Amino acid sequence: ASGFRTRCIVIMPDKASIAYFATLFGVTAATLYLVPPVEQEACKELSFSTFFSGSSNLKGMAKEFLECGEAYKADNPVSAIVLYSVLYTAFLAASVPGCTTMLSVLSGALWHPAISILLITINSSTGGLCAYYLSHLMLRETVTKRFPSLFTKLSLLVEKRS
């Protein structure tokens, strides 16, 4: 009656994408489990609810998070880098908006600029690769069915140039 048609694209994950999600989740969970817990006094009052509470004192909250990160880094330098890398890669692979920007700023505050640039470069490349691979696994078949002529043209161009 109204002239509008709704279309629903159903994405059915195959075994490869399920294995990919399981691996990404497993590596992240194992890292979070194996990394030593935060036991510093600077971190006792912090929680994720503090971060998402909408506090008007953002400067004070950022200072508390930075003090906690510096205290953890001083006690566990290797664990801090591993934890940072896994979280950065996982957030980027899952395409969580804004998290990688905050983690990049945190990296600059915690480590020397050369180390920060190296960490951000490696983790953003790895996370981007994971995100593209995930979209390839989950959406290739859907895009092929939805836009067959465009997909054929692109495939021919890729074959021609390679």
Side-chain angles (χ1 to χ4, degrees), residues 61-95:
M61 187 174 60
K63 186 177 178 183
E64 290 175 12
F65 273 100
L66 180 60
E67 288 172 359
C68 178
E70 286 177 339
Y72 186 78
K73 183 187 81 162
D75 288 348
N76 307 301
V78 174
S79 296
I81 290 176
V82 169
L83 179 64
Y84 173 83
S85 297
V86 168
L87 288 176
Y88 193 103
T89 303
F91 283 139
L92 188 60
S95 300

Side-chain angles (χ1 to χ4, degrees), residues 88-89 92 100 104 117-130:
Y88 193 103
T89 303
L92 188 60
T100 55
S104 296
I117 290 170
L118 184 66
L119 282 173
I120 292 168
T121 303
I122 291 170
N123 294 323
S124 62
S125 299
T126 307
L129 178 71
C130 291

Side-chain angles (χ1 to χ4, degrees), residues 71-159:
Y72 186 78
K73 183 187 81 162
D75 288 348
N76 307 301
V78 174
S79 296
I81 290 176
V82 169
L83 179 64
Y84 173 83
S85 297
V86 168
L87 288 176
Y88 193 103
T89 303
F91 283 139
L92 188 60
S95 300
V96 178
C99 286
T100 55
T101 303
M102 292 186 309
L103 286 172
S104 296
V105 171
L106 180 65
S107 174
L110 289 177
W111 290 289
H112 186 272
I115 294 172
S116 295
I117 290 170
L118 184 66
L119 282 173
I120 292 168
T121 303
I122 291 170
N123 294 323
S124 62
S125 299
T126 307
L129 178 71
C130 291
Y132 281 114
Y133 185 64
L134 178 63
S135 66
H136 171 76
L137 287 175
M138 295 194 68
L139 297 174
R140 182 179 175 98
E141 187 176 320
T142 304
V143 171
T144 305
K145 288 179 182 177
R146 180 112 163 106
F147 307 105
S149 62
L150 179 63
F151 193 78
T152 305
K153 285 180 188 178
L154 288 174
S155 296
L156 290 173
L157 282 172
V158 168
E159 286 179 19

Side-chain angles (χ1 to χ4, degrees), residues 42-43 45-47 50-51 53-69:
C43 306
E45 310 243 342
L46 293 178
S47 67
T50 305
F51 185 70
S53 67
S55 172
S56 60
N57 187 11
L58 291 177
K59 187 175 181 180
M61 187 174 60
K63 186 177 178 183
E64 290 175 12
F65 273 100
L66 180 60
E67 288 172 359
C68 178

